[in-house]
């Protein structure tokens, strides 16, 4: 990280009139990795206020705020950025992970359910959903979501394994969850056997 900070500072020192925003962004990112959060924020803020609202700038701003322990402000930045860029995956992942880190599991699950209605091929969303279900104590749903993540990553055997775990663990589960997991297990076993 220190070498990257030095590299971008040297690049920017040579450019006294026009300072490319990609170099400024690179410096801010390198400063974050070097844990120079205040300096990174000061470097990034002019890029954000210059307009354009590039999703990478907003993502880094939200990450910096979270790094500084300002999770509520970070969530505000994520929400504003997602209004402008609702399908930007890095923003979505950062936002959902921060919700879970803050213990806002119910809000994360509601958002995930909405997103997974329209985008079912995103393995990362399924993994985050598995993490959310684990945090809320929904073990069958957790294993089912993890199975879907494995399936979307092309690991059919691991998906079947997760569903087998889900159907074995019937404690505290309702009939719908169990039968849904069993049905999906039959589907994936048939694919695995072919």
């Amino acid at each position: 990280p220190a070498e990257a900070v030095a590299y971008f500072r040297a690049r920017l020192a040579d450019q006294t009139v026009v300072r490319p925003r990609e170099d400024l962004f690179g410096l801010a990112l390198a400063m974050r990795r070097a844990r120079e959060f205040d300096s990174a924020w000061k470097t990034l803020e002019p890029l954000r206020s210059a307009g354009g609202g590039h999703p990478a700038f907003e993502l880094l701003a939200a990450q910096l705020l979270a790094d500084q322990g300002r999770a509520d402000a970070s969530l505000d930045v994520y929400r504003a950025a997602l209004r402008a860029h609702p399908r930007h995956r890095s923003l979505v992942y950062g936002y959902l992970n921060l919700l879970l880190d803050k213990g806002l599991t119910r809000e994360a699950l509601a958002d995930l359910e909405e997103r997974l209605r329209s985008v079912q091929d995103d393995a990362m969303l399924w993994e985050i959903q598995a993490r959310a279900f684990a945090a809320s104590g929904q073990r069958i749903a957790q294993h089912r979501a993890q199975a879907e993540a494995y399936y979307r990553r092309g690991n059919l055997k691991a998906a079947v394994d997760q569903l087998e775990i889900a159907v074995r663990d019937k404690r505290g589960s309702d009939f719908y969850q169990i039968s849904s997991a069993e049905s999906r297990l039959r589907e994936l076993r048939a694919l695995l056997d072919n």
Side-chain angles (χ1 to χ4, degrees):
E3 295 88 22
V5 171
Y7 169 78
F8 282 108
R9 281 190 174 140
R11 280 187 58 96
L12 289 166
D14 294 339
Q15 300 163 349
T16 56
V17 179
V18 177
R19 304 175 92 189
R21 66 185 200 162
E22 56 272 8
D23 286 344
L24 288 169
F25 178 74
L27 176 60
L29 188 60
M31 288 173 163
R32 177 180 181 245
R33 290 187 177 154
R35 307 195 58 77
E36 298 176 23
F37 302 133
D38 290 333
S39 297
W41 183 261
K42 289 175 186 166
T43 303
L44 180 64
E45 195 52 37
L47 293 174
R48 292 182 68 220
S49 61
H54 194 284
F57 300 162
E58 298 308 305
L59 175 64
L60 183 55
Q63 290 170 334
L64 284 168
L65 289 168
D67 291 339
Q68 294 172 332
R70 299 172 53 197
D72 290 334
S74 178
L75 286 172
D76 290 342
V77 170
Y78 275 124
R79 287 178 182 127
L82 284 169
R83 279 191 294 279
H85 310 281
R87 300 225 186 276
H88 193 276
R89 289 184 180 195
S90 294
L91 288 171
V92 170
Y93 303 153
Y95 173 66
L96 292 169
N97 281 313
L98 185 58
L99 285 176
L100 291 176
D101 291 345
K102 279 198 57 147
L104 299 171
T105 307
R106 189 172 293 179
E107 188 176 338
L109 282 170
D111 190 287
L112 281 159
E113 186 176 319
E114 184 68 31
R115 289 182 191 284
L116 286 169
R117 277 192 198 119
S118 60
V119 180
Q120 294 189 350
D121 64 338
D122 189 336
M124 183 64 78
L125 286 180
W126 289 103
E127 287 177 2
I128 296 170
Q129 187 182 50
R131 185 173 157 224
F133 281 135
S136 66
Q138 299 178 52
R139 292 184 43 84
I140 289 180
Q142 169 197 353
H143 290 295
R144 172 108 197 260
Q146 189 62 53
E148 296 300 334
Y150 285 142
Y151 175 72
R152 276 143 184 89
R153 292 196 188 279
N155 192 344
L156 195 53
K157 175 70 173 114
V160 167
D161 290 346
Q162 284 296 311
L163 288 168
E164 287 173 345
I165 293 169
V167 298
R168 275 196 311 258
D169 184 18
K170 297 180 181 183
R171 294 170 289 158
S173 300
D174 63 20
F175 175 77
Y176 173 76
Q177 282 187 340
I178 294 168
S179 62
S180 175
E182 288 172 342
S183 173
R184 186 65 170 148
L185 178 58
R186 281 191 299 275
E187 287 176 41
L188 295 187
R189 273 188 182 150
L191 288 173
L192 188 61
D193 291 342
N194 288 334

